[in-house]
Amino acid sequence: MTTVTMPLPRMNNPTGTATVTFNLREMPFLDGPGIGAIAADAAVDTDAGEWSLWQNLEGAFISAPAAAAWGDQQIDLFGISTDSQLYHKRWDGAGWTLWESLEGTCIYAPTAVARGANLVDVFVIGLDKQVYRKTWDGAAWQGWEELGGTCIHGLAAASWGPDRIDLFTVGTNSCLYHNYWDGAAWQGWEPLRLQGQTAWEKSSTTIAAPAAVASAPGRIDLFVLGIDNQIYQAWGDGETWQGWINLGGPAMHGLAVAARGPQALDLFTIGTDIEGTDNHMYHRAMSGASWGAWDNLGGACISAPAAVALGESRLDAFVVGTRSALFQKTWQGAGGGLGVQDFTQPEKDDAKLKLNTIRSPLFTPLYKTRAQTIIDNPHSLDQGPWGVCGMATAVYFLLQYDLDKYIDLVKSIFDGDSFSGIPVGMKERPNELYSVLLYGRERKQIENVKNRPEKPRGADKDFDFIVSRSLGKLLKIVNPIAYQIQVDFSKQFDPLFSYKETSSEIKLFTIDFENTRSFADVIQNLNNRVATTQLAREINAGNLDVLIKTGFGIDLTKYSISVDIPNKQWELQYKYNRDDKVLYIKSDGSKLDVVINLNSQFHPLKSDGDLALDLYGQRTLMKQVIGARTVDFTFTSFGDESIKTINSLFDRESKPFVLATINGYVEWCGARGDNTKRTFDVPPAAETPVWGYAPLRFVHIIGVTGKIRDAGAYYEVPVWTWAAEFTVKIKKELFSAYLYSFVYGSL
């Protein structure tokens, strides 16, 4: 093939590249907010990392960009500017170069691919609708090479090695064409045929440039946009192709795809009403053979996207935004490798098969399904409330690093034949078999164990809680002294932990009355088994406290009152979630106390295994029960040294774990469900005293899933808690107010 000069004039310097500087005042940042619910400049979290804000890379472009990446420190970015010439800039791991002209006169969008270290090829369509190639050989850009063809819509390129490039385009008949280079020569344009059919016979017409990526030698994934605005996927080795699979839509402006590894693809498009919004960038990821849901990345986009992957933990997406400037959004995965599972699908499948060996009739099909689900998605593990947050976080790290030990734990709970050989979750009573279930309820499963146990409501999440609290039972067995210390600590953390050793009633709240007349009226009505409007209002005022502290609320729509006049006590019975609940109302002659006798109620803190772990309890659990190879702790009062210690752990250990004790329960709860509340600029709100007890120094334990990043005035902390992984930004001077201490080490 010959090297040619592309038609029409070049810039003023025809013999070399020209560096140009754009007028920034005419190219403002991406306008925001976007049309939909996510602002154009919003940071977006996914289950496994965080997308940055939109960054303006300047310029003025008339087509979609193209990008190529090699290694983990270089991105080459291309776009066709308003003078129809191709421009290029490079990111070297530290910053972007200025835009430079690669000359030529181009139509439609370019495409680019990296064949190896410092080998980059960019392809464009000239005014004659033929394809042209320019190559960076590691030292300089070579001249334009003509590849022929009569093309519309643009191009896609993929390469699985230094001597292979597969190139795709759309012909004037709106069908896909394919050409490939074998290291010596181009083989020529041919219609792309899938399973004996010429693409695009199955869906008639391709209305945008295709997208392609090579995720492994001999594997190319190809994506097109049909006339129905649906996205279709095919795959093959360059000669034989399979597909098409409809991935849904609607979409416009075309597609981009990047590969973070074999069978780990990330697809991008600009949406049309995917979630009621237009012109936002959308992303979805494929792991194995399964595609996830669409993420709305926001923006106000006027071109197709471009995307590249820098290893497994970084993605960069590019698009032309308002006023024709080019914008970048970057995804950083969890620094410790927790964002993407290291287990292969066969390893996960093997773990699921091992679950089948559990023969206990209490290991119901629902439990089995749940156990398998959290193998695939550890982030979905439900911590549950009531003092097992630290133990659930320990299980979370088992799921990340040691599936065999996790299976041993489940077997120990139900069959009692592994995980130190201790059955921790079951206990037998005469003629009855019980299991530890949701929130400490001991639900009678069955009297005849040969029959299938009844499935309690919410049993799928019951399983998560069983596994978590069983670690507390193991702690009691392997280190009784440490367990008792944690029981004593738990009593300080929440008075209800004292219930384990007492049968005393616990006062929930007190009702005072303005005068003796109203008090006497209430008493008279109670004796007549009636709750007055005033009494109902006073009881409902305490509903939230009852719900938080006991796990069930008050519902007075249907109730009954029984009277015990000698003891000046009334039993208020009502239904809550189909279960009968009882409150006791007692009089001391001037006020009423609303109390609860937990012996007559299901309650979260009823059984062994419920613990509110302090720093030393968490360390003991990880070392003596989980069997961590190393365990240590540090306080955030040490400031930057604590952060350096945590970050170095993720660099040197293959199976790191970091558990943090936190303050600011309200703020963290808000951050979990609302990404607009993930920046902590003010100190955490003071915890409300419970029954006169001052709150302890910290209120919850979470998992830290990667390095703590310096972000100017803030620290960015990737965390997992409450079945969600997200990142918070904490003002540096407030860091120790929100994160009290770390327990860390390696499994």
Side-chain angles (χ1 to χ4, degrees), residues 268-287:
F268 301 82
T269 190
I270 310 304
T272 58
D273 207 32
I274 290 179
E275 291 182 1
T277 58
D278 293 334
N279 297 319
H280 287 189
M281 183 183 289
Y282 286 82
H283 160 262
R284 71 188 305 191
M286 184 184 81
S287 177

Side-chain angles (χ1 to χ4, degrees), residues 48-52 55 57 69 71-75 91-96 258-261 266 268 307-318 328-335 340:
E50 179 177 318
W51 286 95
S52 71
Q55 302 296 317
L57 300 184
D72 59 0
Q73 293 292 318
Q74 181 162 315
I75 301 174
W91 183 75
D92 61 5
W96 287 97
R260 285 180 285 138
D266 292 88
F268 301 82
V308 292
L310 293 177
E312 294 183 353
S313 59
R314 172 162 174 157
L315 289 169
D316 289 85
F318 305 89
Q328 174 190 19
K329 187 180 277 281
T330 298
W331 175 84
Q332 293 280 1
V340 179

Side-chain angles (χ1 to χ4, degrees), residues 31 45 107 130 167 178 196 242 254 270 317 320 366 385 393 472 495 498 534 628 647 686:
D31 286 350
D45 291 312
I107 60 175
Q130 295 191 76
L167 193 59
H178 172 229
Q242 305 294 323
I270 310 304
V320 177
L366 198 59
T393 308
S498 302
Q534 181 183 8
N647 286 348

Side-chain angles (χ1 to χ4, degrees), residues 151-152 209 215 245 386 388 399 465 494 510 531 549 580 595 624 662 682:
C151 312
I152 61 174
S215 58
I245 296 176
W386 320 116
V388 296
L399 285 163
F465 205 72
D494 189 324
T510 297
K549 304 311 297 181
D580 291 333
V595 302
Q624 298 190 16
I662 66 168
V682 297

